[in-house]
């Protein structure tokens, strides 16, 4: 085929679409769009057959496609919205940019504690905060771009893909035939069944980062990680925030001691917490959007300018024709997979938020690597073999890996817990960040680490030391022998390990040691 014929054939192909509508339409969002869903992109002619076709270009899909192509496979990647998925566009990247700006305000509010005088009137420039977020997001977006993945040898198809019988997927009128396929369509913000909420309008993580003006009054529904992160960030950026949560304390799935520290921090910062709440309906009034709720047996209401829903995720299973190819799924739980991430159709795998309880970018990345091994090389890699840490990026952060005490108890495992408060850590005192701790659980009678929770300003950075020890099967005795720089907050991990070592000094050992010393005088 001549170059001229190829060009003519490409020109006849329809432009892939529809093109996502990004707001505001500024240079940064236009750059993001040009990378993640080029408006003039024309889908390529499909190959005769692909080793792997991946539906969904979030973290799980991107890692799967890049890894398989890098190993020499013929790979197609399908995405109907924006490459990069939630993480780049409406999750990790934008939220952490906004949280970073809010931390500056948090530091300024405490400046006098450190002997620093801040001129009156210092406040966040909300439009500038959001513009900075869009700038950084657009800069990062080239990593997940159509151009980059095309250069990696992946055939990128923009449009909605659906299974079309055994070994075939349709997208924008084209049929892609495959040996193996991967469902990586992710999840979206769940829509709570609250009367009147849809009519008055609300925000989710998928729309909140399009704001350019600060809402004066913000209600956050849901006290999980997303709700807590954004409630604190927007409070620090100048919003009056009311957080409504259905349980008795925020982050109810987290270590209770950790959640208590964060809950007290929220109250100090002026976040109104409405716990044990049941929302009955929402309506619009002349003063704003009104949420009617019951809390502690009393009916009440709150009027706000915007409502942010951060309560749960729903898997993106609609429109894929999963029934037609024998893939079992549930509209709430997502696609069912075995421990090797294989669906009920042995030729089709799944990875990421569509099928996993761990709905984190790093978990999706790890799962994608399992899928590559198992789908292309008949591997036996297992999801259950992963040790997955996570972090809630509030201030302080709460990071965790492995089992909680309650989880160990449910399994009938006896544990010993070693706790080190940051009030006993010199660097934390110097930083004015003593509200936190390192808590490590070991199997009773051993130094084998089963789980850990860290509450600290940068707990997400600290938890990896414990995760590495768990993966490498290194116990607290090994950590106790590791030299940690002084002063650092991570020294709390070593101090917890030292506490374990002291338990080895039983009365018998101490007596024997004293006897030995008396002989060697």
């Amino acid at each position: 085929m001549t170059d001229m014929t190829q060009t003519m054939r490409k020109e006849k192909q329809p432009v892939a679409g529809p093109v996502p509508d990004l707001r505001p339409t500024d240079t940064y969002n236009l750059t993001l769009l040009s990378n993640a869903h080029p408006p003039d992109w024309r889908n390529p002619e499909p190959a005769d057959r692909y080793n792997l076709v991946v539906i969904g270009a979030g973290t799980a899909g991107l890692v799967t496609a890049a890894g398989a192509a890098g190993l020499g496979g013929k790979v197609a990647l399908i995405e109907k919205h924006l490459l990069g998925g939630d993480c780049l566009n409406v999750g990790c990247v934008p939220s952490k940019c906004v949280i970073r700006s809010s931390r500056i305000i948090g530091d300024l509010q405490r400046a006098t504690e450190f002997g620093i005088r801040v001129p009156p009137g210092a406040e966040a420039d909300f439009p500038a905060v959001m513009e900075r977020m869009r700038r950084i997001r657009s800069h990062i977006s080239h990593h997940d771009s159509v151009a980059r993945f095309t250069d990696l040898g992946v055939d990128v198809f923009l449009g909605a893909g659906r299974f079309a019988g055994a070994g075939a997927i349709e997208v924008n009128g084209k049929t892609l035939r495959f040996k193996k396929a991967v469902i990586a369509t992710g999840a979206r913000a769940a829509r709570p069944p609250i009367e009147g909420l849809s009519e008055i309008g609300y925000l989710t993580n998928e729309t909140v980062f399009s704001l350019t003006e600060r809402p004066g009054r913000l209600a956050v529904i849901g006290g999980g990680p997303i709700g807590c992160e954004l409630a604190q960030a927007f409070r620090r950026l100048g919003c009056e925030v009311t957080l409504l949560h259905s349980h008795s304390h925020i982050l109810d799935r987290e270590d209770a001691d950790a959640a208590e520290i964060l809950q007290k921090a929220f109250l100090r910062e002026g976040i109104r917490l409405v716990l044990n709440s049941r929302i009955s309906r929402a309506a619009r009034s002349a003063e704003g959007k009104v949420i009617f709720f019951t809390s502690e047996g009393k009916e009440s209401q709150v009027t706000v300018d915007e409502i942010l829903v951060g309560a749960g995720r729903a898997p993106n299973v609609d429109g894929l024709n999963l029934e037609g190819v024998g893939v079992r799924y549930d509209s709430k739980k997502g696609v069912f997979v075995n421990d090797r991430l294989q669906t009920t159709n042995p030729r089709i795998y799944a990875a990421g938020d569509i099928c996993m309880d761990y709905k984190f970018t790093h978990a999706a990345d790890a799962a994608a690597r399992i899928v590559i091994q198992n789908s292309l090389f008949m591997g036996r890699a297992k999801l259950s073999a992963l040790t997955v840490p996570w972090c809630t990026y509030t201030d302080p952060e709460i990071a965790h890996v492995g089992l909680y005490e309650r989880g160990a108890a449910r399994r009938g495992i006896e544990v010993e817990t070693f706790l080190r408060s940051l009030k006993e850590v010199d660097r934390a005192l110097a930083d004015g960040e003593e509200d936190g701790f390192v808590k490590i659980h070991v199997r009773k009678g051993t130094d084998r680490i089963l789980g850990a929770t860290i509450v600290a300003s940068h707990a997400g950075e600290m938890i990896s030391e414990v995760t590495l020890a768990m993966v490498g099967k290194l116990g607290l005795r090994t950590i106790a022998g590791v030299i940690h720089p002084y002063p650092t907050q991570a020294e709390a991990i070593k101090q917890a390990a030292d506490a374990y070592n002291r338990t080895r000094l039983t009365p018998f050992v101490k007596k024997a040691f004293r006897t030995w010393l008396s002989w060697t005088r």
Side-chain angles (χ1 to χ4, degrees):
M1 185 183 299
T2 66
D3 291 342
M4 179 65 71
T5 304
Q6 287 179 327
T7 301
M8 291 174 63
R9 179 167 292 183
K10 183 177 181 180
E11 288 176 350
K12 291 180 180 178
Q13 294 178 23
V15 176
V19 178
D21 182 21
L22 299 183
R23 300 295 178 92
T25 308
D26 62 3
T27 182
Y28 304 123
N29 274 344
L30 289 175
T31 297
L32 173 66
L33 191 63
S34 68
N35 283 326
H37 193 122
D40 60 349
W41 178 254
R42 298 176 185 275
N43 288 332
E45 281 293 329
D48 292 337
R49 198 180 191 203
Y50 291 96
N51 298 106
L52 206 62
V53 174
V54 182
I55 306 179
T59 298
L62 292 175
V63 174
T64 300
L71 292 170
K74 187 61 180 172
V75 180
L77 176 64
I78 302 170
E79 173 56 53
K80 68 178 181 180
H81 192 56
L82 296 167
L83 268 71
D86 275 11
C87 182
L88 170 66
N89 299 292
V90 296
C92 310
V93 172
S95 66
K96 302 315 166 280
C97 289
V98 172
I99 287 170
R100 181 65 184 96
S101 294
S102 75
R103 277 203 171 198
I104 298 293
I105 294 294
D107 288 341
L108 289 177
Q109 291 170 345
R110 298 183 57 206
T112 56
E113 298 176 24
F114 298 86
I116 306 298
R117 296 178 182 173
V118 177
E123 63 177 6
D125 181 342
F126 189 84
V129 167
M130 302 304 279
E131 182 180 13
R132 173 184 179 272
M133 175 273 294
R134 294 193 302 274
R135 172 171 56 82
I136 294 172
R137 182 175 62 180
S138 70
H139 177 73
I140 292 173
S141 66
H142 74 90
H143 295 299
D144 298 344
S145 66
V146 170
R148 176 172 179 260
F149 276 78
T150 300
D151 289 343
L152 290 174
V154 177
D155 283 356
V156 178
F157 292 82
L158 299 182
R162 69 184 299 275
F163 288 96
I169 295 174
E170 290 181 351
V171 55
N172 278 14
K174 296 185 180 297
T175 300
L176 282 57
R177 304 195 178 280
F178 62 82
K179 294 181 180 178
K180 300 288 176 63
V182 179
I183 305 167
T185 49
R188 63 190 184 279
R191 303 182 183 278
I194 298 172
E195 179 186 340
L197 187 61
S198 296
E199 287 74 16
I200 66 174
Y202 61 93
L203 301 167
T204 68
N205 71 294
E206 295 164 8
T207 54
V208 70
F209 299 111
S210 296
L211 290 176
T212 56
E213 297 296 330
R214 177 178 59 209
R217 302 164 298 174
L218 177 70
V220 178
I221 298 176
I226 294 175
C228 284
E229 286 181 4
L230 294 180
Q232 185 181 47
F234 276 80
R235 173 62 188 139
R236 290 179 167 188
L237 294 175
C239 300
E240 293 180 14
V241 175
T242 299
L243 175 61
L244 300 106
H245 189 50
S246 58
H247 294 269
S248 59
H249 66 79
I250 59 174
L251 296 178
D252 47 277
R253 296 182 181 179
E254 192 51 79
D255 179 281
D257 296 331
E260 178 67 17
I261 289 175
L262 187 63
Q263 187 157 304
K264 289 179 178 178
F266 277 18
L267 293 172
R268 284 197 305 270
E269 295 185 19
I271 296 174
R272 179 191 177 193
L273 295 180
V274 181
L275 302 175
N276 291 317
S277 65
R278 294 291 181 270
I279 300 173
S280 58
R281 63 188 179 93
R284 186 181 295 278
S285 73
E287 289 74 33
K289 299 178 180 182
V290 186
I291 299 175
F292 298 87
F293 61 88
T294 301
S295 177
E296 308 296 347
K298 297 180 180 179
E299 294 184 359
S300 188
Q301 63 188 63
V302 60
T303 303
V304 296
D305 301 302
E306 292 288 357
I307 300 170
L308 172 62
V309 174
R313 308 281 292 165
N316 293 319
V317 293
D318 297 334
L320 296 175
N321 188 30
L322 298 179
E323 303 91 339
V325 287
V327 172
R328 186 166 169 251
Y329 70 96
D330 180 271
S331 60
K332 294 182 178 179
K333 296 180 180 179
V335 171
F336 292 105
V337 293
N338 61 22
D339 203 16
R340 295 188 298 278
L341 293 175
Q342 191 176 41
T343 72
T344 48
N345 181 326
R347 295 177 62 184
I348 301 174
Y349 291 74
D353 290 4
I354 188 65
C355 64
M356 294 164 55
D357 292 333
Y358 293 128
K359 299 190 187 305
F360 313 118
T361 293
H362 49 282
D365 182 305
R369 298 166 195 267
I370 290 175
V371 164
I372 293 170
Q373 294 178 57
N374 294 346
S375 64
L376 297 183
F377 301 105
M378 295 184 291
R380 308 290 290 179
K382 294 182 177 181
L383 183 67
S384 60
L386 297 179
T387 301
V388 181
W390 60 85
C391 183
T392 299
Y393 296 93
T394 47
D395 187 12
E397 295 177 352
I398 299 176
H400 180 82
V401 64
L403 292 176
Y404 295 98
E405 289 173 281
R406 61 181 183 271
R410 282 196 297 267
R411 298 186 186 190
I413 302 173
E414 289 189 86
V415 300
E416 290 181 275
T417 299
F418 295 91
L419 176 69
R420 192 66 174 176
S421 169
L422 292 190
K423 290 182 173 66
E424 303 170 295
V425 179
D426 294 352
R427 178 58 186 272
L429 292 171
D431 289 341
E433 296 172 351
E434 60 267 31
D435 286 339
F437 59 77
V438 169
K439 182 185 290 189
I440 301 177
H441 311 297
V442 300
R443 185 182 289 273
K444 189 172 182 178
T446 76
D447 73 334
R448 180 188 170 193
I449 302 170
L450 298 179
T453 299
I454 299 177
V455 182
S457 181
H458 295 285
E461 306 289 346
M462 296 167 63
I463 198 68
S464 291
E465 178 178 1
V466 182
T467 306
L468 176 63
M470 293 175 67
V471 172
K473 303 188 185 307
L474 305 174
L476 284 185
R477 277 182 287 184
T478 300
I479 291 179
V482 174
I483 298 173
H484 289 63
Y486 176 88
T488 60
Q489 293 190 26
E491 192 182 9
I493 299 172
K494 175 178 169 58
Q495 292 174 0
D498 287 340
Y500 163 77
N501 266 352
R502 287 193 291 273
T503 66
R504 300 168 63 202
L505 295 173
T506 63
F508 174 80
V509 172
K510 289 180 181 179
K511 182 178 179 180
F513 187 59
R514 282 195 299 268
T515 302
W516 167 257
L517 289 178
S518 67
W519 290 348
T520 57
R521 286 176 182 167

